[in-house]
Amino acid sequence: MTEHTAGAALWPAPSASSPVDATVAVPGSKSVTNRGLVLAALAADTGVLRRPLRSRDTVLMADAMRTMGVHVEEGVGPDGTGEFWRVIPAGLHGPAAVGVGNAGTVMRFLPPVAALADGPVRFDGDPRSYERPLHGVIDALRTLGARIDDDGRGRLPMTVHGGGSLAGGSVEIDASASSQFVSALLLSAPRFNQGVEVRHTGGTLPSAPHIRMTIDMLRKAGAQVDAPEDGGEPDVWRVTPGALLGRDLVVEPDLSNAQPFLAAALITGGRVTVPDWPEHTTQPGDALRGIFTEMGGSCELDERGLTFTGGGRVHGIDVDLGDVGELTPGIAAVAALADSESVLRGVGHLRLHETDRLAALTKEINGLGGDVTETADGLRIRPRPLHGGIFHTYDDHRLATAGALLGLAVEGVEVEDIATTGKTLPGFDGMWAEMLGATATATATATATATVTGGAAGPAGSRLEESD
């Protein structure tokens, strides 16, 4: 687990004095935006991403494309709304230097792209990025014909010596540390001379919905993909070489970033509506509908979007989150306020995310009086009366929003470095203030806003009162 940020500002997490009642417009999906950028850059013609997420991770991806010669133009619609990115493919080239920050999609999706460039591409990033595994991508690319200098680390920093093309072919990888290893190879595979056959040979593959998202987006861009869900071999994916089509893609709202707002309704016994929630989606965040319903709420999906209503109490849950690990911090925070024990399973791989999320959640919730223990593959959470204190975030955006959730029910919680939410959700603190009916802070942005639709009446949920 990385150390907390020295000298970082503390944000007094606002408590909820009554049930929330708000409509929250959530910005676009990071996962869709960054996959869309990669596919557009590799396409044969111009593509447009409409309503993309503009955050640290996506800006890093767009800037990386530009350093390798792709034209990424930003604009807005004629009425001043509807931001879009126009992606004009060009010959990929080096020398180039790519800064990945601590973005898993950038550090894993772009080395295969760089292998197609003409010249060397250097990858570097934040100190934490040096600790995150890349061996699955590096070893696979070498098998497929790429030359990579990483001094044997299997991690950053490294240089990919692009030769203008890549042979491709068959490769075996262990993607149990991250499903992004599989997605990284599949996204660029249509441009490999022989396409690719990827065979996962390790343990349980986490975050399978993200691979399904990759496959769905590849097919919509014209690629031919054979996947296990089509009746093929388990854990084997094949992509045929061929041209990708530039698309006019409307990016869905980021359903994982909707989590803290839906959770606020659950914790306070209130109601939150997220507009434009898709009826059908490959985003893992869609699982929140079932998870939070089991924890005590109810939801309705109609022309307004998704409306989630808390039931006044939060119930514990025993759930396997292996496919939706990114939701774990928010679910853990809600579980710490529940009326019974929770067990979160299948998320041992979170020890390798932006920080060791399991260790960080255990330490920080327990620091507020909680009773959380790590298991081999997750967390056991026994609710206890909580008290105020500093909630460290370790430069992890999901930890920051988890701290904000605890602050709804516990007075005196101070979240370290709330600005780290800018990784995927710029202006979060302003959105949070608007949802609660407070004055928005100066950091709120035009692409990350919330609208309060009415005052809330009645007492807060019983668990909220008990925690206070």
Side-chain angles (χ1 to χ4, degrees):
M1 184 172 65
T2 53
E3 293 297 321
H4 57 81
T5 307
L10 298 179
W11 177 71
S15 298
S17 58
S18 60
V20 300
D21 189 353
T23 294
V24 181
V26 178
S29 163
K30 178 200 76 172
S31 298
V32 173
T33 299
N34 275 355
R35 283 167 173 79
L37 282 169
V38 172
L39 292 172
L42 296 176
D45 49 2
T46 297
V48 177
L49 275 68
R50 301 190 186 277
R51 299 198 311 211
L53 174 66
R54 182 177 177 83
S55 70
R56 189 188 186 209
D57 280 17
T58 60
V59 169
L60 285 168
M61 183 70 84
D63 287 346
M65 294 301 182
R66 294 183 179 110
T67 67
M68 289 188 282
V70 178
H71 301 285
V72 182
E73 302 173 351
E74 303 180 32
V76 295
D79 57 354
T81 61
E83 183 176 1
F84 65 85
W85 288 351
R86 180 179 288 109
V87 182
I88 305 172
L92 298 166
H93 64 77
V98 171
V100 308
N102 192 21
T105 52
V106 181
M107 70 179 72
R108 290 165 181 153
F109 291 178
L110 288 188
V113 177
L116 299 168
D118 185 7
V121 181
R122 175 74 171 173
F123 289 83
D124 207 341
D126 296 348
R128 171 60 179 167
S129 71
Y130 295 178
E131 304 172 30
R132 301 185 69 181
L134 270 176
H135 56 85
V137 174
I138 293 171
D139 294 346
L141 286 175
R142 285 179 174 143
T143 298
L144 298 174
R147 183 162 70 91
I148 301 174
D149 291 336
D150 68 334
D151 294 330
R153 289 183 300 268
R155 302 173 188 266
L156 294 177
M158 68 180 187
T159 299
V160 178
H161 295 274
S165 64
L166 192 67
S170 299
V171 65
E172 294 185 352
I173 65 170
D174 179 355
S176 56
S178 175
S179 68
Q180 290 176 355
F181 295 168
V182 175
S183 288
L185 298 171
L186 299 184
L187 285 168
S188 294
R191 291 282 303 272
F192 299 168
N193 296 340
Q194 303 171 43
V196 79
E197 177 187 273
V198 179
R199 186 179 298 268
H200 166 60
T201 59
T204 301
L205 185 67
S207 303
H210 277 125
I211 298 179
R212 290 193 287 272
M213 176 188 293
T214 297
I215 293 167
D216 180 67
M217 294 184 68
L218 273 164
R219 287 173 172 163
K220 288 178 178 175
Q224 181 178 329
V225 186
D226 296 323
E229 54 265 34
D230 304 320
E233 294 180 67
D235 293 337
V236 178
W237 299 264
R238 296 181 180 90
V239 180
T240 301
L244 291 170
L245 308 174
R247 295 182 59 203
D248 193 319
L249 172 66
V250 178
V251 179
E252 297 174 353
D254 194 313
L255 307 188
S256 294
N257 277 341
Q259 181 186 41
F261 306 101
L262 302 182
L266 180 58
I267 290 168
T268 68
R271 177 176 60 193
V272 167
T273 298
V274 177
D276 300 319
W277 193 287
E279 185 175 356
H280 303 288
T281 181
T282 55
Q283 288 194 62
D286 194 46
L288 289 167
R289 291 193 287 166
I291 293 169
F292 280 168
T293 295
E294 187 175 345
M295 296 186 80
S298 61
C299 62
E300 180 181 5
L301 184 60
D302 57 24
E303 67 280 356
R304 297 172 300 166
L306 180 74
T307 298
F308 186 85
T309 305
R313 294 188 68 86
V314 179
H315 306 313
I317 190 171
D318 188 325
V319 61
D320 189 326
L321 299 175
D323 279 350
V324 292
E326 66 198 56
L327 304 179
T328 301
I331 293 170
V334 174
L337 304 171
D339 58 11
S340 58
E341 179 178 288
S342 293
V343 180
L344 312 185
R345 308 178 187 276
V347 289
H349 61 284
L350 295 188
R351 295 185 171 98
L352 301 173
H353 275 221
E354 280 81 345
T355 188
D356 180 341
R357 284 178 169 166
L358 300 185
L361 286 164
T362 300
K363 180 178 180 182
E364 297 309 315
I365 295 175
N366 288 351
L368 302 180
D371 183 1
V372 181
T373 55
E374 288 191 56
T375 64
D377 71 338
L379 299 172
R380 184 178 299 275
I381 303 170
R382 303 173 182 86
R384 298 286 185 269
L386 302 180
H387 56 72
I390 297 175
F391 191 94
H392 299 105
T393 59
Y394 310 91
D395 199 27
D396 186 326
H397 56 131
R398 305 284 184 207
L399 266 293
T401 53
L405 284 171
L406 291 170
L408 288 175
V410 183
E411 297 226 357
V413 173
E414 296 181 291
V415 178
E416 174 196 61
D417 191 22
I418 195 66
T420 196
T421 53
K423 185 177 193 294
T424 59
L425 188 55
F428 166 78
D429 50 348
M431 297 176 72
W432 203 244
E434 287 285 347
M435 178 190 68
L436 293 171
T439 301
T441 64
T443 57
T445 68
T447 59
T449 60
T451 303
V452 177
T453 59
S462 57
R463 184 66 206 179
L464 177 62
E465 295 168 354
E466 180 182 333
S467 296
D468 286 343

